[in-house]
């Protein structure tokens, strides 16, 4: 049973016999969204803490004069920003613009690409997945997700000999 189903069941147990089911379901959805927002904010705070700790360790290892350390945890900070934008309901596109045929993971990847822009390689996608979806750790999964987004028309393949990557398709292309 999913967490949402558990919440529904619990709220129904608390509801009195006079409360319509639709109102109870609305309460569950509000509660679910509150918990989701709280968890995403907590995850973002933990990622920020990890980024600070990583940068401090790298700077301590190489020494402050080396300049190595600041920026060494940029991907972790990027994941924290993504979690915060998800918690705040900010998206670069309306919910009605969901592409049929894409998985939820691919939809999240597309949202991250739209939010952060730039070139996206298999390695960059894999780094993002390791932070926000730890169960996805295979290069093939990242490669297939990029290919699926390309086939769906969201990404353009830049196939340079030593720099194969994808970028977001612009409206004028």
């Amino acid at each position: 049973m999913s967490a949402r189903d558990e919440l529904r069941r619990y709220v129904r147990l608390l509801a009195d016999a006079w409360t319509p089911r639709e109102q109870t379901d609305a309460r569950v959805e509000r509660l679910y969204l509150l918990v989701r927002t709280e968890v995403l904010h907590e995850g973002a705070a933990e990622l920020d803490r990890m980024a600070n700790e990583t940068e401090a360790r790298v700077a301590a290892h190489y020494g402050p004069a080396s300049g190595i350390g600041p920026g060494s945890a940029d991907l972790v900070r990027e994941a924290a920003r993504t979690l915060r934008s998800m918690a705040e309901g900010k998206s670069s596109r309306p919910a009605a613009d969901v592409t049929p045929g894409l998985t939820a993971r691919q939809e999240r990847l597309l949202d991250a690409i739209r939010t952060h822009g730039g070139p996206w390689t298999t390695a960059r996608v894999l780094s993002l997945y390791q932070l926000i979806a730890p169960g996805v750790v295979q290069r093939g999964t990242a490669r297939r997700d990029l290919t699926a987004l390309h086939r769906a028309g969201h990404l353009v393949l830049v196939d340079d000999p030593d720099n194969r990557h994808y970028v977001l398709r612009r409206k004028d292309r």
Side-chain angles (χ1 to χ4, degrees):
M1 184 179 298
S2 72
R4 185 179 285 191
D5 291 335
E6 276 294 318
L7 282 173
R8 270 196 190 97
R9 184 172 166 263
Y10 181 70
V11 169
R12 282 191 192 119
L13 289 174
L14 296 177
D16 54 37
W18 302 281
T19 305
R21 180 179 175 152
E22 295 78 24
Q23 188 175 353
T24 301
D25 285 347
R27 288 177 187 165
V28 169
E29 292 304 317
R30 272 196 312 275
L31 180 59
Y32 168 76
L33 289 175
L34 289 172
V35 170
R36 177 185 180 275
T37 300
E38 185 177 314
V39 168
L40 288 172
H41 278 295
E42 288 172 359
E46 180 66 15
L47 287 173
D48 281 334
R49 186 197 61 74
M50 290 169 51
N52 292 338
E53 184 178 304
T54 299
E55 287 179 348
R57 283 184 181 175
V58 170
H61 180 74
Y62 290 103
S66 70
I68 300 173
S72 59
D74 284 345
L75 284 176
V76 178
R77 291 192 195 288
E78 184 175 320
R81 284 191 298 273
T82 300
L83 287 180
R84 278 194 192 85
S85 67
M86 289 169 63
E88 295 164 7
K90 293 180 183 173
S91 177
S92 55
R93 65 193 181 127
D97 191 24
V98 173
T99 305
L102 295 181
T103 66
R105 183 185 63 245
Q106 292 166 344
E107 289 288 343
R108 286 192 307 269
L109 173 60
L110 181 58
D111 194 46
I113 291 171
R114 286 179 168 159
T115 301
H116 301 292
W120 284 80
T121 62
T122 302
R124 186 174 181 192
V125 172
L126 193 57
S127 295
L128 178 71
Y129 283 170
Q130 287 173 338
L131 295 172
I132 64 172
V136 180
V137 293
Q138 296 183 359
R139 290 183 57 80
T141 302
R143 192 176 297 123
R144 280 190 302 276
D145 287 351
L146 284 170
T147 301
L149 294 175
H150 172 66
R151 284 191 188 132
H154 297 290
L155 301 179
V156 175
L157 173 62
V158 179
D159 200 7
D160 293 338
D162 293 331
N163 187 18
R164 180 185 170 114
H165 62 274
Y166 293 87
V167 293
L168 192 61
R169 180 180 301 276
R170 294 193 330 227
K171 297 272 185 199
D172 59 344
R173 287 188 189 173

